């Protein structure tokens, strides 16, 4: 699987708030919170009713470190976490850094991706509770 996705009983807004807090605890900040439905409505697509919040998140120290290993890692930055509603259930998910960075064939980048993935999974799991 290319993703890590969990369900939560929280609303999308509650999940985003909890996720923002849990990410901060592991030194990740939210750079951008893209509300897809709101943006599409502003562009005249009023018939789009599904809620998606795409968060671009970053740990500056980690970004600096991994960019020092391989500049093409920048293609995958910042990390994305999506909170959305599907069939009445709120989901929180992300593409796995280990899968994305597997295309960069450097052992140090692979290990780094594993560490970041574990950190982000921890934050997501904390946010869902």
């Amino acid at each position: 699987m290319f993703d890590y996705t969990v369900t939560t009983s929280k609303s999308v807004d509650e999940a985003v708030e909890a996720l923002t807090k849990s990410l901060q605890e592991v030194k990740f900040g939210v750079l951008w919170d893209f509300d897809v439905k709101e943006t599409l409505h502003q562009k005249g697509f009023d018939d789009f009713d599904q809620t998606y919040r795409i968060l671009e998140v970053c740990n500056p120290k980690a970004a600096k470190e991994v960019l020092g290993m391989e500049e093409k890692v920048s293609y995958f930055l910042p990390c994305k976490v999506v909170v959305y509603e599907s069939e009445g259930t709120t989901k929180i998910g992300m593409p796995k850094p280990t899968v994305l960075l597997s295309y960069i064939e450097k052992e140090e980048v692979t290990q780094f991706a594993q560490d970041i993935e574990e950190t982000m999974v921890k934050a997501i799991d904390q946010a869902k509770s």
Side-chain angles (χ1 to χ4, degrees):
M1 302 272 304
F2 83 96
D3 67 307
Y4 179 76
T5 303
V6 299
T7 60
T8 180
S9 60
K10 296 177 180 177
S11 71
V12 169
D13 291 338
E14 291 169 336
V16 168
E17 184 177 329
L19 183 60
T20 300
K21 288 179 184 174
S22 65
L23 285 166
Q24 286 173 345
E25 290 174 13
V26 293
K27 310 284 191 244
F28 275 78
V30 175
L31 303 174
W32 189 42
D33 178 352
F34 176 48
D35 185 328
V36 175
K37 182 166 91 173
E38 179 183 318
T39 300
L40 290 175
H41 284 192
Q42 289 174 359
K43 301 294 182 185
F45 298 98
D46 296 328
D47 61 337
F48 188 86
D49 290 326
Q50 193 166 359
T51 301
Y52 289 94
R53 301 267 297 273
I54 301 171
L55 307 180
E56 291 196 342
V57 304
C58 183
N59 174 314
K61 182 177 183 245
K64 180 183 180 292
E65 183 179 341
V66 75
L67 287 168
M69 296 175 196
E70 172 58 57
E71 61 190 19
K72 289 184 180 177
V73 169
S74 63
Y75 298 171
F76 302 105
L77 298 178
C79 297
K80 287 186 176 32
V81 183
V82 181
V83 181
Y84 62 101
E85 202 174 282
S86 178
E87 299 177 1
T89 302
T90 301
K91 297 188 178 192
I92 305 170
M94 69 171 184
K96 290 181 178 179
T98 53
V99 174
L100 294 175
L101 295 179
S102 69
Y103 295 101
I104 297 174
E105 297 172 349
K106 286 190 173 182
E107 181 59 36
E108 64 183 340
V109 171
T110 301
Q111 183 56 53
F112 187 88
Q114 182 65 45
D115 294 344
I116 292 298
E117 187 171 305
E118 289 171 7
T119 299
M120 291 183 65
V121 163
K122 178 182 172 184
I124 289 171
D125 286 347
Q126 183 177 338
K128 77 176 182 180
S129 303

